[in-house]
Amino acid sequence: MIPTKPYAATDLGIFRFLDGKLLVYLVELKIEPFVGRYSLPGTLVLETEDLEAAVHRAYREATGRDSAYFEQVYTFSAIDRDPKRRTISTAYMGFPNSPDESFVPVDKYRNGDWFYVNDTPSLAYDHNEILKVCTNRIAAKLNYTNIALLLLPGEFTMAELQSVYEQGLGERLETRSFSDKVRSLKMIEATGGAREEDNAPPAPLYRAAHRDLQEIPFI
């Protein structure tokens, strides 16, 4: 008996940070046996594609957008991870260049929406496991990269940036020390603008000095 060759696939965790919480973008499926269930966006890899091309296509199909930063995370190869066929999936993380843009998925999905990573429904396939690996990777990278800046919109306050680190690292940070550390690393630059705050002085706005992922020894 000739063994059946497994399919190659890619699945994508798309992340942003809003109101002090990490969010993931999920799509509602229209295919059996997971009709109505949410999952991470994904696709089988076509014969004419490499993994990079496939993950870019998966992103476009899920969001209607083109531009994002992608990073390969891990390969998932459990024999029964797809009930229809043997499928080996390479998971990626995606960070939209404009996280506050609206997303509109193509017709292969019923819907798409943002969920707090700690309050997601039970996901199809092994996507809860993939999501956990991705969020652990983000938390680890906060220690030595500027990945926090990829989660925020083009303009943000120092408090919003600090909130990313506090959630990812699981600890409260002293505000003045955090601000001094960020400034010393030249991670951000002031925009000259400010955001009105309730019962507080206007909060200065900042932007990333570099939107590409860089190694920065934060800890």
Side-chain angles (χ1 to χ4, degrees):
M1 181 178 178
I2 300 176
T4 302
K5 293 182 179 179
Y7 287 85
T10 184
D11 291 299
L12 175 62
I14 304 170
F15 297 95
R16 64 184 287 205
F17 200 84
L18 182 68
D19 296 333
K21 295 182 179 180
L22 182 63
L23 278 69
V24 62
Y25 182 72
L26 302 177
V27 288
E28 187 178 355
L29 300 177
K30 298 168 65 174
I31 59 172
E32 295 290 352
F34 298 118
V35 174
R37 292 273 298 278
Y38 278 93
S39 76
L40 301 173
T43 187
L44 294 176
V45 181
L46 303 177
E47 290 186 3
T48 56
E49 293 178 321
D50 59 14
L51 278 172
E52 292 292 328
V55 77
H56 278 80
R57 177 169 58 81
Y59 183 79
R60 289 193 302 271
E61 292 175 347
T63 68
R65 304 289 180 176
D66 286 310
S67 54
Y69 171 84
F70 301 102
E71 178 173 324
Q72 190 175 130
V73 178
Y74 193 74
T75 297
F76 294 81
S77 60
I79 294 174
D80 59 351
R81 62 176 305 276
D82 186 331
K84 282 189 172 182
R85 58 179 72 89
R86 177 77 198 281
T87 306
I88 297 174
S89 179
T90 301
Y92 282 76
M93 298 187 298
F95 304 94
N97 287 352
S98 300
D100 47 355
E101 288 183 331
S102 60
F103 286 172
V104 180
V106 298
D107 189 56
K108 71 180 275 187
Y109 300 120
R110 180 178 291 174
N111 186 33
D113 207 351
W114 292 97
F115 290 80
Y116 294 125
V117 295
N118 293 329
D119 191 27
T120 61
S122 177
L123 303 181
Y125 305 105
D126 55 354
H127 288 191
N128 286 98
E129 180 183 357
I130 294 176
L131 177 58
K132 183 177 180 180
V133 171
C134 287
T135 54
N136 286 344
R137 178 69 62 87
I138 291 172
K141 279 183 168 288
L142 288 171
N143 292 305
Y144 62 93
T145 75
N146 63 341
I147 196 169
L149 301 177
L150 303 185
L151 293 165
L152 292 167
E155 295 185 339
F156 50 86
T157 66
M158 186 69 74
E160 288 171 334
L161 179 59
Q162 182 172 335
S163 184
V164 177
Y165 279 92
E166 288 181 338
Q167 180 172 324
L169 300 175
E171 61 181 280
R172 295 285 296 174
L173 301 174
E174 200 279 319
T175 300
R176 177 59 65 85
S177 297
F178 176 82
S179 178
D180 290 345
K181 179 70 171 180
V182 168
R183 295 176 194 276
S184 71
L185 293 171
K186 296 181 171 56
M187 296 169 57
I188 61 176
E189 54 191 22
T191 68
R195 181 183 300 157
E196 296 294 330
E197 303 279 355
D198 293 337
N199 303 316
L205 290 171
Y206 299 88
R207 57 176 167 250
H210 305 281
R211 281 290 295 179
D212 54 327
L213 190 70
Q214 297 183 341
E215 289 195 7
I216 293 177
F218 189 83
I219 299 300

